[in-house]
Amino acid sequence: MTSPSLLRDKILPIGTVVLAIIAIWYLAAVYLNAPFERDQAERAGTEISFSEILPRTMAQERPVLPAPHQVFTELWETTVEKKITSKRSLIYHSWITLSSTLLGFAMGTVLGVALAVGIVHFQTLDRSLMPWIITSQTIPILAIAPMIIVVLNAVGISGLLPKATISMYLSFFPIAVGMTKGLRSPEVMHLDLMRTYSASASQTFWKLRLPAAVPFLVTSMKVAISIALVGAIVGELPTGAVAGLGARLLAGSYYGQTVQIWSALLMAAALAGILVSLVDIIGARVNRRMGVKPA
Amino acid sequence: MNGPFLTAILFWLAAWAVNVWLARLKPKNPSVTRLINVIIPVLFGAALIALWEGVTRGFNVPSVLLPAPSMIWGRILSSAHILWADFQQTYLKAVIAGYVMGCGIGFITAILVDRSPFLRKGVIPVGNLVAALPIVGVAPIMVMWFGFDWQSKAAVVVVMTFFPMLVNTVAGLAATGSMERDLMRTYAATRWQTLFKLRLPAAMPFIFNALKINSTLALIGAIVAEFFGTPIVGMGFRISTEVGRMNVDMVWATIFVAALAGSLSYGLIALAERAVTFWHPSYRRRAGA
Amino acid sequence: MPETVISAQNLDLTFETNDGPVHALKDITLDIAEGEFVSLIGPSGCGKTTLLRVIADLEQPTGGTVSINGMTPEQARMARAYGYVFQQAALLPWRTIEDNIALPLEVMGLDSAARASRIKSNLELVNLAGFEKKFPWQLSGGMQQRASIARALAVEPDMLLMDEPFGALDEIVRDHLNEQLLKLWAKTKKTVVFVTHSIPEAVFLSTKIVVMSPRPGRIYDVIDCSALGTERPLDIRETPEFLHIAHQVREGLKAGHSYDD
Amino acid sequence: MPETVISAQNLDLTFETNDGPVHALKDITLDIAEGEFVSLIGPSGCGKTTLLRVIADLEQPTGGTVSINGMTPEQARMARAYGYVFQQAALLPWRTIEDNIALPLEVMGLDSAARASRIKSNLELVNLAGFEKKFPWQLSGGMQQRASIARALAVEPDMLLMDEPFGALDEIVRDHLNEQLLKLWAKTKKTVVFVTHSIPEAVFLSTKIVVMSPRPGRIYDVIDCSALGTERPLDIRETPEFLHIAHQVREGLKAGHSYDD
Amino acid sequence: ADKLTLQLKWVTQAQFAGYYVAKDKGMYEAAGLDIEIKPGGPDIAPPQVIAGGGADVIVDWMPSALASREKGVALVNIAQPFKSSGMMLTCRKETGIASPADFKGKTLGVWFFGNEYPFLSWMSQLGIPTEGGADGVEVLKQGFNVDPLIQKQADCVSTMTYNEYWQVIDAGLSADDLVTFKYEDEGVATLEDGLYVLESSLEDPEMVDKLARFVKASMEGWKWAEENPDEAAEIVLENDASGAQTEKHQKRMMGEIAKLTAGSDGTLDEADYQRTVDTLMKGGSDPVITKVPEGAWTSAVTDKMKAM
Ligand SMILES: Nc1ncnc2c1ncn2[C@@H]1O[C@H](COP(=O)(O)OP(=O)(O)OP(=O)(O)O)[C@@H](O)[C@H]1O
Ligand SMILES: Nc1ncnc2c1ncn2[C@@H]1O[C@H](COP(=O)(O)OP(=O)(O)OP(=O)(O)O)[C@@H](O)[C@H]1O
Ligand SMILES: Cc1ncc(C[n+]2csc(CCO)c2C)c(N)n1
Ligand SMILES: [Mg+2]
Ligand SMILES: [Mg+2]
């Protein structure tokens, strides 16, 4: 038995993988950006050697794939070197996205768990609702998001809530599916045990179904929180895309600013990483509290 | 007051009552049970649609906001060929290819990563990141890399479906009981034998979770990705174009196709799940329970 | 004349399985009076557990009726008329031993002081004091089984349904618990239905022994043990009456068995 | 002189738990020769399972060494030197009974004809013929245990480690399986390490009985049973030699116990 | 102050400088108005927003507005700050395209979402089918940017003189490498950014008064912006919450926009309107609008404005 170590369990493995990705990224950048340089040279009627192309592929203004250092420079400039209240600060935009993500995730978790509870306990809901929950997820949200926004606006709801609603719409589903499975996962023997106590449905829920569902719930929440983030970003488009990471992405895309797109992308990914890790840490805590036998 | 609306509400209440009654029935005959299982959601849906029709008519909701179901149905019938072409482009090509690859890569990554704790500790957190790459940002990049046609949409679907599969497979592989693992140890089973004979079967409930979530996610992903550049066919293209043209009935007709396709594929996966994980306690209800 | 608490009439139970029906119980008719201690004994797979589960309303018979104190099994269950010890320990893995024992008490709405005292006394009874804070997987098989017995006893029900509760215990502990159970039974006049594989155990504990025969599970014989009286020290097991009854049971078991040797 | 196959020297094992360490094995020194049948007996929770698990390389001792045929337990495990019967049946719920028995055979790479014949003979041995296609949850507790025994026997290992294999079986089946096991042992000269709670069973089967005492688990006594010979009909159990050894074991058990009555 | 909500057609940029200037420089305030400007985006259909009650006035292109009108959203043009069209098709010279006749067999990037009408009308006037094939053109729904041209995924893409064209230039292609076809030059120009309201709001004289003040103040904003393009661009940048716009680009855009708004006092020129309608009606088998629109524009507001 060895005690956990930050260096061995986190920094080294993650660092290795990240380094590998960065290496691949550089190679891809050279490969993808080179044709443009050759083209330029061809139009200018000059020959260009590979050693000349190489540095240029890493310093283009609108690269097909910006080199990592370009993105990190941009990230540095837009996070550390800008005041966080500035509209050019990625932290400011991240915060806007984060707030609707968290609200949407919270609402989605509550809704998903509530639906799962209903489905597990009421046969009517199980049979009538589940097919329609599934159907609801196959409705492309981005398609009806503008209508949702318009309708919510019409009844006077604006600001954070419409975006959070879209984020909720996407994130409640994994929770509902996973939680339904989880709430149904207790051993038949344990359900029988509760029956012999003539435990009420709510007692069976709190004392048996819910604890048994925890591994499913934690896994679902990890998926849901990253989907919630995607939802919040998607939701920023039809809300006028005025601010937030989604707006940055859109603007970056609109103006062909690949470096800006990639830095917003990385920021979003980092945000998701943090959120998923948080859920993971909480999940591990709960597991330990619940006395799960370590593997 | 409001005629159509009231009628719809009444219909809805009546349908709900019938459903409650149906759900309470415990027929001895299994085929009757199966029939009831079909009737209930259908009735629920019918009630929902009636309510919708009633609301749109009763309150004269402008059709550019929300068309009545009858109008949508008319559109489905008159534009079936367009809907079919879109379905082929988006579903049969992008969604299926992306779904298979995304789930496959997520699964294989989980298996590979499972072999080495070092890799697991490194890859999973980075996998989290990939998952959260917002589709809004990824889609234009994929169009840039893979072109306008369905390949770029499939790539977006791969990115979206990869993580749920990875996370669920990893969680599932960890879900084996310690006694069963000891059992395989006593057989000096190889890693692969333990994997295939014990840990994968035990992980199936989790894996099916991911397959289900991904089946709807893939459809959303492909459709949204088409907002960012496509040839002029596809469900996402149709939706965004027709919204701009104020043909909202066509939008809903496309949504209907999406919902139908999504529900059917979900249903298929649920059937497969039942067949593969029949042993899971969630399917082992006693008759009386 | 004590009242009949459990009355089974022509019970029949068939399980539907993937490869055809399994006829688990056939035409079981059995009355158990208040304060009786009835043991079910029979070859492995003959339907003892199934019968106990039918009484506990955990399984629905496909034929016949059961009544418990004049109620249906379901009503009896809802009235928390019995405590049940499962063949497997069935401890919740996320609860410590004391919390596992607290589970039914929580369900019944006991306050924490009352729970604590019942947990303490019952853990002591099964000799598990000191293991309150352990999780089930940190206990040996026998210890888990004892924890599950303590859990059922903590409910202090009028009726106990016990499915091979002492199967995984060594002789000494088993003797000890047999005595404790008998004391408890004598003191509280509980009705006990007890599944066991041990003939001496059945004879030592019971007022009546039901011998079952397998596939489909029927009652082969009902043997009265009241001749042994209610005071039963451990050394009663060497008396001729005891050995005689034990022999009778063994013969019944053998007859019902498919082995001929 | 037969060779020593299992040799444990000064074994020590302490589990770390949420509320302090549990000292499960203390200073266990034990040699088991080839072809011996050794029973471990002792109060519930004394460390029998733990000792068996250490031998099987399922648990790492915190002190001392074990060697098996001169190999480390890990090497022995990798060489598939033993078959193990768990205290719980540990059947995989998604496999039918026959597929569960096939599992170790698949792992070993047997072809399907060889598998089928071994499955058939071992299912018959434990009297489960006809239940091939059932799933574990469709079997009674004792039937599950028998299936798990069949699974271990199907491996046909040189060494058998069995953890209370017959705990959930009725006397008749138990006797039958005891005889079968003895026959198999006599025929194949396997080395068997066998955990049981039944003193008669231990005496009947063993060449050597190891009596353990609890917390921390130590060896209290090692009782030789070779006096009973190798031919052991069931009625040997009434002979004075048998009863004498049984008495000796019982005394050892009692002494190691914390109950004083 | 009287409140009005204006829904823009696209994200905050110099294309809408007049409105931001009017708000920023207090012209709306002076007119007794409190204007909320809602930026648009790729998913925002202004006609839908106004139909849902999310805005009082919208900025839209006339083809889209007329088409919406046919679909039952009774949009009425109340003012037309943009006199000429900024739309064009930009092609790489190396593809050999020199005139519209060379389009056949080529791949063209087009904006959809209601912005495809001018293109479709043009193609049907040229008699080129848009379903691909050797005689037709392959149409791509182009995303938000000009990447398809730069990546050579399309032979031509749609650009605006004030925006996307410069992105092509910024991407490293020079004007010499490109061939452009302005809709204005091809005689298929349709009216762009106009101000539209729902017919019902015109029934209320008070509302008409409000709108008149709004248009007047907006036009003052536009004229100021035309005269002070750099400052106007600064104002736009300040109002851009995404912080993604660059000064260089917005200043250049403002310069180009000024060319389009030049000569408009807000009144819709009936001849321009007629030309737009004719272009749209000439759509061959699948015209954008099927019948001549009635009451799709009004001079009531601009008349009232001029009377102020
Ligand atoms: N859920 C089930 N589905 C199908 N068959 C079942 C089920 N439960 C039990 N059976 C069958 O019913 C018969 C009786 O089982 P039961 O568990 O009552 O036996 P038992 O007398 O308790 O045996 P043991 O002493 O081994 O525990 C067995 O043949 C078993 O295979
Ligand atoms: N994984 C574990 N973690 C902590 N403690 C454990 C663990 N496994 C066993 N123990 C403790 O070790 C001691 C010995 O357990 P073991 O299972 O070996 O007993 P046993 O002799 O097999 O008992 P039984 O006859 O009841 O099966 C017990 O006190 C138990 O609580
Ligand atoms: C998805 C999408 N739809 C339409 C346009 C076109 N568009 C809307 S407003 C405007 C004015 C110029 O910027 C233009 C060209 C686009 N770019 N992307
Ligand atoms: Mg049983
Ligand atoms: Mg044990």
Side-chain angles (χ1 to χ4, degrees):
Chain A
M1 282 252 185
T2 43
S3 58
S5 126
L6 186 67
L7 180 70
R8 185 176 32 101
D9 291 336
K10 294 264 182 288
I11 298 174
L12 270 183
I14 299 179
T16 313
V17 173
V18 167
L19 280 181
I21 289 179
I22 289 181
I24 295 170
W25 186 349
Y26 266 112
L27 291 178
V30 173
Y31 178 77
L32 287 169
N33 297 338
F36 177 81
E37 294 298 336
R38 281 201 205 93
D39 239 40
Q40 287 290 77
E42 196 184 316
R43 255 193 313 252
T46 52
E47 281 285 309
I48 186 162
S49 72
F50 182 71
S51 58
E52 283 171 297
I53 288 181
L54 195 62
R56 289 196 208 173
T57 55
M58 296 189 192
Q60 289 178 6
E61 213 180 313
R62 306 173 39 110
V64 174
L65 176 61
H69 66 263
Q70 289 180 289
V71 177
F72 290 125
T73 313
E74 165 86 5
L75 268 176
W76 179 262
E77 283 170 0
T78 50
T79 52
V80 182
E81 291 183 358
K82 291 271 183 316
K83 277 217 302 281
I84 57 168
T85 48
S86 155
K87 282 179 291 193
R88 288 181 189 270
S89 161
L90 258 189
I91 305 219
Y92 163 81
H93 291 285
S94 301
W95 169 245
I96 289 181
T97 303
L98 184 65
S99 48
S100 47
T101 303
L102 290 179
L103 183 59
F105 173 67
M107 297 193 313
T109 306
V110 170
L111 179 65
V113 171
L115 282 171
V117 171
I119 283 169
V120 170
H121 286 95
F122 303 103
Q123 290 206 0
T124 328
L125 284 184
D126 180 18
R127 300 203 203 152
S128 53
L129 211 52
M130 201 52 187
W132 291 94
I133 290 177
I134 298 157
T135 310
S136 81
Q137 288 302 300
T138 59
I139 294 179
I141 178 68
L142 200 59
I144 56 163
M147 298 180 228
I148 294 178
I149 305 282
V150 167
V151 170
L152 286 181
N153 254 325
V155 295
I157 297 171
S158 59
L160 200 58
L161 214 52
K163 287 190 275 180
T165 307
I166 290 165
S167 165
M168 171 193 83
Y169 180 96
L170 284 179
S171 63
F172 89 88
F173 184 66
I175 303 259
V177 170
M179 197 64 185
T180 305
K181 188 95 215 161
L183 289 176
R184 283 182 175 159
S185 69
E187 289 293 331
V188 175
M189 188 172 52
H190 289 142
L191 284 170
D192 282 346
L193 181 73
M194 297 308 283
R195 266 170 76 88
T196 68
Y197 301 151
S198 113
S200 66
S202 86
Q203 287 172 323
T204 307
F205 175 78
W206 288 109
K207 296 181 191 304
L208 177 60
R209 290 189 186 275
L210 187 65
V214 164
F216 285 86
L217 181 63
V218 171
T219 311
S220 303
M221 279 170 83
K222 278 198 263 181
V223 171
I225 202 163
S226 69
I227 292 183
L229 180 68
V230 172
I233 289 174
V234 167
E236 281 168 6
L237 301 192
T239 45
V242 282
L245 291 176
R248 292 291 286 197
L249 283 169
L250 184 73
S253 167
Y254 187 34
Y255 295 106
Q257 304 280 343
T258 27
V259 180
Q260 190 181 316
I261 298 180
W262 279 91
S263 57
L265 268 179
L266 279 200
M267 197 68 197
L271 214 53
I274 292 168
L275 292 175
V276 175
S277 311
L278 275 180
V279 175
D280 212 15
I281 288 169
I282 294 170
R285 275 272 156 79
V286 172
N287 259 347
R288 209 167 328 129
R289 278 278 295 281
M290 287 179 37
V292 170
K293 182 172 181 176
Chain B
M1 238 187 82
N2 202 315
F5 180 63
L6 277 184
T7 321
I9 287 277
L10 282 179
F11 180 78
W12 189 73
L13 287 175
W16 186 256
V18 171
N19 262 355
V20 170
W21 173 73
L22 279 175
R24 292 242 173 89
L25 280 187
K26 278 178 192 140
K28 286 267 184 283
N29 189 334
S31 59
V32 176
T33 314
R34 225 170 296 136
L35 189 69
I36 287 180
N37 283 347
V38 175
I39 291 178
I40 288 179
V42 169
L43 210 56
F44 182 87
L48 220 59
I49 288 172
L51 197 64
W52 178 352
E53 185 90 32
V55 167
T56 47
R57 281 173 191 266
F59 294 101
N60 277 320
V61 178
S63 70
V64 293
L65 284 187
L66 188 65
S70 52
M71 199 173 155
I72 297 169
W73 183 244
R75 200 34 123 109
I76 292 171
L77 295 183
S78 65
S79 305
H81 60 289
I82 298 180
L83 293 171
W84 172 241
D86 291 345
F87 177 76
Q88 277 182 305
Q89 168 77 11
T90 303
Y91 195 87
L92 297 184
K93 291 179 186 161
V95 171
I96 291 187
Y99 179 80
V100 170
M101 282 194 289
C103 291
I105 296 173
F107 180 79
I108 291 171
T109 309
I111 302 278
L112 291 181
V113 148
D114 180 71
R115 287 199 62 119
S116 136
F118 184 80
L119 268 186
R120 185 163 60 235
K121 286 175 194 146
V123 168
I124 302 285
V126 179
N128 294 348
L129 306 191
V130 176
L133 290 180
I135 183 171
V136 183
V138 174
I141 292 172
M142 293 303 165
V143 170
M144 190 149 82
W145 288 357
F146 296 105
F148 272 72
D149 214 344
W150 61 269
Q151 290 87 346
S152 56
K153 318 306 173 288
V156 171
V157 173
V158 169
V159 172
M160 283 191 84
T161 53
F162 164 79
F163 178 69
M165 185 48 106
L166 175 68
V167 169
N168 272 286
T169 308
V170 168
L173 289 176
T176 327
S178 60
M179 194 174 27
E180 285 76 13
R181 254 177 297 184
D182 283 346
L183 180 73
M184 296 308 284
R185 271 172 70 92
T186 69
Y187 299 151
T190 64
R191 240 175 215 288
W192 289 113
Q193 285 173 323
T194 310
L195 186 67
F196 281 109
K197 295 189 189 296
L198 174 65
R199 299 177 65 215
L200 272 183
M204 279 302 158
F206 282 83
I207 292 174
F208 271 100
N209 240 0
L211 286 175
K212 284 169 155 180
I213 293 166
N214 279 347
S215 72
T216 62
L217 217 50
L219 193 55
I220 296 183
I223 288 178
V224 171
E226 284 183 5
F227 282 47
F228 299 81
T230 96
I232 51 174
V233 58
M235 296 161 81
F237 168 78
R238 197 64 55 203
I239 287 170
S240 71
T241 303
E242 301 296 347
V243 170
R245 289 177 174 173
M246 298 297 113
N247 290 329
V248 183
D249 52 348
M250 187 64 184
V251 175
W252 282 96
T254 307
I255 289 174
F256 173 82
V257 175
L260 195 67
S263 305
L264 284 181
S265 39
Y266 188 98
L268 276 181
I269 294 166
L271 279 183
E273 177 183 32
R274 187 170 278 264
V276 173
T277 64
F278 63 93
W279 49 271
H280 192 259
S282 61
Y283 293 115
R284 243 194 284 148
R285 296 318 58 213
R286 280 185 329 269
Chain C
M1 174 80 202
E3 271 182 76
T4 306
V5 278
I6 303 175
S7 162
Q9 303 293 328
N10 306 102
L11 279 186
D12 233 275
L13 198 150
T14 308
F15 289 105
E16 296 299 331
T17 74
N18 45 326
D19 68 332
V22 175
H23 202 164
L25 296 179
K26 186 178 172 191
D27 202 23
I28 301 272
T29 298
L30 180 68
D31 280 342
I32 297 176
E34 194 178 343
E36 265 196 292
F37 195 122
V38 176
S39 289
L40 304 179
I41 199 163
S44 164
C46 72
K48 306 178 292 296
T49 299
T50 308
L51 178 55
L52 213 59
R53 286 172 60 86
V54 169
I55 296 173
D57 185 41
L58 296 176
E59 210 79 68
Q60 301 301 318
T62 43
T65 55
V66 193
S67 84
I68 289 162
N69 283 324
M71 299 183 282
T72 64
E74 180 171 13
Q75 289 164 331
R77 179 172 63 77
M78 298 311 282
R80 296 189 180 117
Y82 62 80
Y84 195 110
V85 181
F86 286 85
Q87 195 165 357
Q88 274 95 33
L91 301 171
L92 299 187
W94 54 85
R95 282 181 173 240
T96 58
I97 297 311
E98 61 178 2
D99 288 347
N100 261 294
I101 297 175
L103 177 69
L105 310 179
E106 289 169 15
V107 170
M108 289 160 53
L110 260 65
D111 65 27
S112 71
R115 291 206 299 261
S117 87
R118 289 207 196 176
I119 291 169
K120 189 163 179 305
S121 62
N122 282 290
L123 274 178
E124 271 164 15
L125 185 79
V126 299
N127 203 28
L128 275 182
F131 289 85
E132 294 83 359
K133 303 261 180 263
K134 296 270 186 288
F135 286 98
W137 53 268
Q138 296 173 325
L139 259 55
S140 76
M143 292 159 92
Q144 290 178 23
Q145 210 178 18
R146 283 182 276 153
S148 111
I149 295 166
R151 180 174 62 182
L153 293 180
V155 175
E156 299 182 359
D158 287 338
M159 198 165 112
L160 268 172
L161 307 178
M162 306 177 88
D163 197 352
E164 297 188 40
F166 305 142
L169 301 180
D170 63 289
E171 217 165 86
I172 316 286
V173 178
R174 197 162 179 153
D175 285 352
H176 170 76
L177 286 180
N178 277 345
E179 273 189 297
Q180 296 293 326
L181 182 61
L182 216 47
K183 255 190 219 158
L184 194 75
W185 171 73
K187 200 171 71 189
T188 57
K189 281 290 146 218
K190 286 184 200 310
T191 310
V192 183
V193 187
F194 189 93
V195 175
T196 181
H197 281 311
S198 161
I199 298 173
E201 183 171 82
V203 180
F204 178 68
L205 292 171
S206 313
T207 56
K208 194 154 99 187
I209 297 175
V210 176
V211 183
M212 294 179 67
S213 72
R215 261 164 272 154
R218 280 146 309 163
I219 294 183
Y220 177 81
D221 199 359
V222 178
I223 297 166
D224 190 61
C225 310
S226 47
L228 292 177
T230 46
E231 275 297 308
R232 300 184 184 184
L234 276 174
D235 46 26
I236 201 175
R237 293 184 291 194
E238 265 100 73
T239 64
E241 293 94 333
F242 188 100
L243 293 173
H244 171 71
I245 299 176
H247 180 77
Q248 227 181 318
V249 176
R250 186 164 294 116
E251 290 308 306
L253 256 180
K254 266 194 196 142
H257 237 288
S258 39
Y259 298 120
D260 308 356
D261 47 348
Chain D
M1 173 79 202
E3 268 184 78
T4 305
V5 275
I6 304 174
S7 162
Q9 302 296 327
N10 307 101
L11 278 187
D12 234 276
L13 197 151
T14 308
F15 290 106
E16 296 300 332
T17 74
N18 44 331
D19 69 333
V22 175
H23 202 164
L25 295 179
K26 186 177 171 190
D27 202 21
I28 302 271
T29 298
L30 179 69
D31 280 343
I32 297 175
E34 195 177 348
E36 264 196 295
F37 195 123
V38 176
S39 288
L40 302 179
I41 197 163
S44 162
C46 72
K48 304 179 293 295
T49 299
T50 307
L51 178 55
L52 214 59
R53 286 173 60 84
V54 170
I55 295 172
D57 186 40
L58 297 176
E59 209 81 67
Q60 299 304 318
T62 43
T65 55
V66 193
S67 84
I68 290 162
N69 282 327
M71 299 184 281
T72 65
E74 180 172 12
Q75 288 163 333
R77 179 172 64 77
M78 297 313 286
R80 297 191 181 118
Y82 62 80
Y84 196 108
V85 180
F86 286 84
Q87 195 165 356
Q88 274 94 33
L91 301 171
L92 303 188
W94 53 86
R95 284 180 173 244
T96 59
I97 298 308
E98 63 179 2
D99 288 348
N100 261 292
I101 296 175
L103 176 69
L105 310 179
E106 290 170 14
V107 169
M108 288 159 56
L110 260 64
D111 66 27
S112 70
R115 290 205 300 262
S117 87
R118 289 207 197 176
I119 291 169
K120 188 162 179 304
S121 62
N122 282 291
L123 273 178
E124 271 163 16
L125 186 78
V126 299
N127 202 29
L128 275 182
F131 288 84
E132 294 82 1
K133 303 264 180 261
K134 296 269 185 291
F135 287 97
W137 72 87
Q138 297 172 327
L139 260 54
S140 76
M143 292 159 90
Q144 290 180 23
Q145 211 178 19
R146 281 182 278 155
S148 109
I149 295 165
R151 180 176 59 184
L153 294 180
V155 175
E156 299 181 359
D158 287 338
M159 195 165 112
L160 267 173
L161 307 177
M162 306 176 91
D163 196 352
E164 298 188 39
F166 305 142
L169 301 179
D170 63 287
E171 216 165 86
I172 317 286
V173 179
R174 198 164 179 153
D175 284 352
H176 170 78
L177 287 180
N178 276 345
E179 275 188 294
Q180 295 294 328
L181 183 59
L182 217 46
K183 255 190 219 157
L184 193 77
W185 171 73
K187 197 172 73 193
T188 57
K189 282 286 144 227
K190 288 185 199 307
T191 310
V192 183
V193 187
F194 188 90
V195 175
T196 181
H197 280 311
S198 160
I199 297 172
E201 184 172 82
V203 179
F204 179 69
L205 292 171
S206 315
T207 54
K208 191 155 100 188
I209 298 176
V210 176
V211 183
M212 293 178 68
S213 73
R215 260 163 274 153
R218 282 147 307 163
I219 294 182
Y220 177 82
D221 199 0
V222 179
I223 297 167
D224 191 62
C225 311
S226 48
L228 293 176
T230 46
E231 276 297 309
R232 300 183 184 185
L234 275 175
D235 45 25
I236 199 177
R237 291 184 294 193
E238 264 100 71
T239 63
E241 293 95 331
F242 188 98
L243 292 174
H244 171 72
I245 297 177
H247 179 79
Q248 225 182 321
V249 176
R250 185 164 295 116
E251 289 308 305
L253 256 182
K254 270 200 193 133
H257 238 285
S258 39
Y259 298 117
D260 309 356
D261 44 350
Chain E
D2 295 316
K3 286 183 78 94
L4 277 179
T5 305
L6 172 68
Q7 174 67 59
L8 302 182
K9 184 176 173 54
W10 196 248
V11 297
T12 302
Q13 57 179 354
Q15 183 187 1
F16 311 106
Y19 312 108
Y20 284 109
V21 167
K23 186 173 165 91
D24 223 62
K25 290 279 159 196
M27 291 153 190
Y28 289 140
E29 209 180 327
L33 291 167
D34 174 14
I35 306 293
E36 185 194 346
I37 302 176
K38 285 186 173 175
D43 278 321
I44 296 178
Q48 205 181 28
V49 174
I50 200 171
D56 303 303
V57 189
I58 59 170
V59 175
D60 203 357
W61 292 1
M62 188 168 274
S64 149
L66 292 181
S68 300
R69 193 179 165 80
E70 271 205 0
K71 299 279 153 46
V73 187
L75 292 178
V76 179
N77 181 302
I78 55 166
Q80 186 61 40
F82 275 43
K83 177 79 181 143
S84 18
S85 155
M87 193 131 143
M88 57 187 185
L89 212 52
T90 301
C91 310
R92 278 176 179 266
K93 198 172 256 171
E94 71 208 38
T95 59
I97 297 173
S99 77
D102 303 325
F103 286 155
K104 283 183 187 156
K106 294 291 192 287
T107 302
L108 311 184
V110 177
W111 293 308
F112 279 79
F113 206 68
N115 301 311
E116 66 275 31
Y117 296 127
F119 171 81
L120 295 177
S121 299
W122 183 22
M123 287 301 131
S124 71
Q125 285 184 37
L126 291 173
I128 301 176
T130 52
E131 275 82 48
D135 279 341
V137 287
E138 186 81 41
V139 176
L140 290 182
K141 176 192 164 180
Q142 112 187 30
F144 307 119
N145 57 39
V146 293
D147 279 343
L149 188 75
I150 294 157
Q151 311 290 332
K152 299 185 181 171
Q153 288 164 324
D155 300 306
C156 309
V157 292
S158 300
T159 55
M160 303 303 287
T161 52
Y162 49 83
N163 188 359
E164 287 81 1
Y165 178 73
W166 298 105
Q167 293 181 32
V168 180
I169 300 294
D170 284 348
L173 291 159
S174 71
D176 295 341
D177 299 326
L178 301 168
V179 184
T180 60
F181 302 92
K182 289 191 181 170
Y183 283 54
E184 201 70 62
D185 299 344
E186 302 295 328
V188 288
T190 51
L191 282 171
E192 288 165 10
D193 305 30
L195 293 172
Y196 295 80
V197 298
L198 286 179
E199 220 164 69
S200 52
S201 25
L202 293 169
E203 289 158 14
D204 175 9
E206 230 173 88
M207 184 67 180
V208 174
D209 177 61
K210 253 199 271 182
L211 291 172
R213 280 182 282 142
F214 166 70
V215 175
K216 187 169 193 306
S218 301
M219 290 316 297
E220 282 166 23
W222 274 118
K223 293 310 140 189
W224 191 92
E226 278 171 32
E227 279 151 29
N228 310 285
D230 284 0
E231 287 91 330
E234 299 277 0
I235 291 174
V236 169
L237 282 174
E238 272 164 38
N239 280 283
D240 163 38
S242 75
Q245 316 279 17
T246 59
E247 196 175 317
K248 171 184 163 204
H249 189 67
Q250 291 305 313
K251 286 188 171 161
R252 196 168 51 189
M253 185 186 293
M254 189 57 232
E256 292 293 333
I257 289 287
K259 295 181 194 161
L260 304 182
T261 54
S264 169
D265 61 355
T267 7
L268 171 66
D269 182 343
E270 206 174 335
D272 291 343
Y273 169 75
Q274 208 50 55
R275 189 194 60 224
T276 301
V277 170
D278 291 345
T279 307
L280 297 177
M281 297 279 292
K282 260 187 274 176
S285 60
D286 191 16
V288 177
I289 49 175
T290 51
K291 46 184 188 295
V292 179
E294 296 284 340
W297 68 283
T298 177
S299 58
V301 174
T302 39
D303 290 347
K304 184 153 179 118
M305 168 184 91
K306 284 179 216 156
M308 275 179 192

